[in-house]
């Protein structure tokens, strides 16, 4: 798996990351969602450079202009619910893409909240056969929910290409996906990679629960 850490270069993306991490700003849900969306737009732009392109002839009012546009049949796949703002950012850029959704959520199997499992219960997707699947989820903690989402989407067909995008990844999550996708056929795009997970499998320093910050707490 190829790893692209966009935090390694200086861009406006770092400002959006700083704001979603900042505990003093996290009470503004609308700004949090919009920053995740803007991160998705930046990542989609960078990712677009890796697609397959060919020249098309475009008729203008005054003549014909050759334009190089991508040929990939893109589907954006998202993990509910935290992934929705990131999905929106990608869809703003790939506005003709198909859309796929999977419900994958974590739950604790012990009272101490130290043993985590992930459950998938819902998938809605077009046929993915031969498509370019962009699988997006803001937080890549252990990597298990991303793996289950990928396996769930495989029931809807085998994509020709897979690109994975997350806002903040843990080093452990990155390593998990590297084992899952050996070789260079799959690329993981990260806006930042953090070193640790705590006892509850939250990314440290991370930002907290992205779904709660975007949409409010849950029972």
């Amino acid at each position: 798996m190829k790893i692209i850490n966009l935090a390694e270069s200086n861009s406006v993306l770092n400002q959006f990351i700083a704001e979603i991490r900042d505990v003093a700003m996290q009470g503004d849900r609308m700004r949090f969602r919009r920053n995740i969306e803007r991160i998705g737009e930046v990542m989609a732009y960078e990712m677009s450079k890796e697609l397959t392109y060919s020249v098309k002839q475009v008729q203008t009012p005054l003549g014909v202009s050759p334009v190089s546009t991508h040929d990939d049949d893109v589907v954006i796949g998202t993990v509910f619910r935290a992934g929705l703002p990131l999905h929106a950012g990608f869809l703003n850029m790939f506005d003709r893409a198909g859309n796929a959704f999977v419900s994958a959520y974590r739950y604790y199997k012990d009272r101490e909240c130290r043993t985590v499992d992930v459950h998938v219960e819902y998938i809605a997707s077009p046929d993915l056969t031969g498509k370019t699947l962009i699988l997006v989820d803001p937080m890549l903690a252990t990597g298990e929910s991303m793996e289950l989402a990928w396996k769930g989407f495989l029931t809807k067909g085998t994509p020709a290409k897979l690109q994975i995008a997350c806002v903040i990844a843990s080093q452990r999550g990155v390593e998990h996906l590297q084992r899952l996708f050996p070789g260079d056929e799959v690329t993981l795009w990260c806006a930042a990679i953090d070193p640790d997970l705590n006892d509850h499998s939250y990314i440290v320093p991370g930002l907290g629960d992205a779904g709660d910050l975007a949409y409010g707490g849950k029972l």
Side-chain angles (χ1 to χ4, degrees), residues 147-167:
E147 178 182 357
L148 284 180
W150 163 244
K151 290 179 178 178
F153 283 135
L154 282 177
T155 65
K156 306 300 181 181
T158 302
K161 302 177 186 177
L162 173 63
Q163 302 282 304
I164 301 174
C166 63
V167 176

Side-chain angles (χ1 to χ4, degrees), residues 146-205:
M146 190 72 81
E147 178 182 357
L148 284 180
W150 163 244
K151 290 179 178 178
F153 283 135
L154 282 177
T155 65
K156 306 300 181 181
T158 302
K161 302 177 186 177
L162 173 63
Q163 302 282 304
I164 301 174
C166 63
V167 176
I168 298 177
S170 74
Q171 186 59 43
R172 176 177 158 187
V174 170
E175 292 170 358
H176 182 89
L177 292 190
Q178 286 178 311
R179 292 190 294 271
L180 184 63
F181 300 107
D184 293 330
E185 293 79 16
V186 177
T187 301
L188 172 63
W189 300 76
C190 306
I193 299 176
D194 287 357
D196 297 318
L197 291 177
N198 66 16
D199 289 341
H200 301 297
S201 295
Y202 278 94
I203 301 171
V204 178

Side-chain angles (χ1 to χ4, degrees), residues 49-68:
K49 300 175 185 178
E50 303 299 318
L51 301 180
T52 302
Y53 285 76
S54 65
V55 176
K56 286 86 171 176
Q57 303 300 318
V58 178
Q59 181 68 54
T60 80
L62 300 177
V64 177
S65 174
V67 181
S68 181

